[in-house]
Amino acid sequence: MRGKTFYVYMKSSDRSLLLQSFVELKNLLIQQGRYTDCVDELIFKVINAPVKKLKIS
């Protein structure tokens, strides 16, 4: 059974902040000698996510 799909709409500044946070988390995990596979997948998903322009009225 698949889980629910969630869509997140954010500004480009929020997206870059999210990516920076994931990279910092990855660096922290590398320093601790832990696996970074999950964080790598999240970074990949955020980078390759489609950009949709919305009109706000």
Side-chain angles (χ1 to χ4, degrees):
M1 180 185 274
R2 291 184 96 177
K4 290 184 178 181
T5 301
F6 295 96
Y7 296 95
V8 178
Y9 297 98
M10 60 181 72
K11 296 186 281 184
S12 62
S13 60
D14 295 335
R15 185 173 181 245
S16 65
L17 181 65
L18 182 67
L19 280 172
Q20 289 174 1
S21 300
F22 282 144
V23 170
E24 288 178 15
L25 177 61
K26 181 179 176 178
N27 291 336
L28 181 66
L29 291 174
I30 289 172
Q31 288 176 354
Q32 294 174 356
R34 298 169 63 188
Y35 293 108
T36 61
D37 298 339
C38 295
V39 180
D40 291 337
E41 289 179 23
L42 289 172
I43 291 172
F44 185 74
K45 285 183 180 183
V46 171
I47 289 174
N48 293 324
V51 176
K52 184 174 185 179
K53 295 185 178 182
L54 300 174
K55 290 184 179 180
I56 300 174
S57 52

